[in-house]
Amino acid sequence: MSAIPIGVALLLYQGKNGRQRLKREARRQARKGTVPDATAAPASSESGPSDRPLRRIGIGLLLGGAVLLAVGALLSPYGLLFFGLPGLILLIAGLIVSVSAI
């Protein structure tokens, strides 16, 4: 069970050459009116724009999973079994979809 937070942290980790970090730096450089350096340009041009509908679906799945977990926790231990397990599955699926849409 302790592997879940570590896995989520690794999914969201952005290294020095992470796609999101390079995109963000390119946007900042464009706002300043300068051209980004040569190391950031190829990586940011390879990654296209984020898929907004897919990201919204992922966020919806995350919210649905959170609601199911909350309902299951409020009902009883059996409610947690019946609502919590699908909620956990929705949370994981939503996290995967929303991260992959970035």
Side-chain angles (χ1 to χ4, degrees), residues 1 4 8-9 13-14 28 37 41 48 58 62 85:
M1 198 56 146
I4 291 174
V8 170
Y13 172 73
Q14 293 185 6
R28 287 180 184 164
D37 60 339
L62 279 169
L85 189 59

Side-chain angles (χ1 to χ4, degrees), residues 19 31 44:
R19 287 186 304 161
R31 269 190 252 138
S44 63

Side-chain angles (χ1 to χ4, degrees), residues 14-67:
Q14 293 185 6
K16 62 178 183 174
N17 293 325
R19 287 186 304 161
Q20 286 300 99
R21 176 176 284 185
L22 293 175
K23 282 183 187 178
R24 185 173 53 244
E25 289 175 358
R27 282 194 308 265
R28 287 180 184 164
Q29 293 292 336
R31 269 190 252 138
K32 290 180 181 178
T34 59
V35 179
D37 60 339
T39 59
S44 63
S45 64
E46 287 176 7
S47 59
S50 65
D51 194 3
R52 282 208 175 295
L54 190 61
R55 194 168 183 192
R56 287 185 184 176
I57 290 171
I59 291 171
L61 285 172
L62 279 169
L63 291 175
V67 167

Side-chain angles (χ1 to χ4, degrees), residues 66-91:
V67 167
L68 280 177
L69 275 174
V71 168
L74 290 175
L75 288 178
S76 67
Y78 292 114
L80 191 60
L81 177 68
F82 289 116
F83 290 109
L85 189 59
L88 187 63
I89 292 170
L90 283 178
L91 277 172

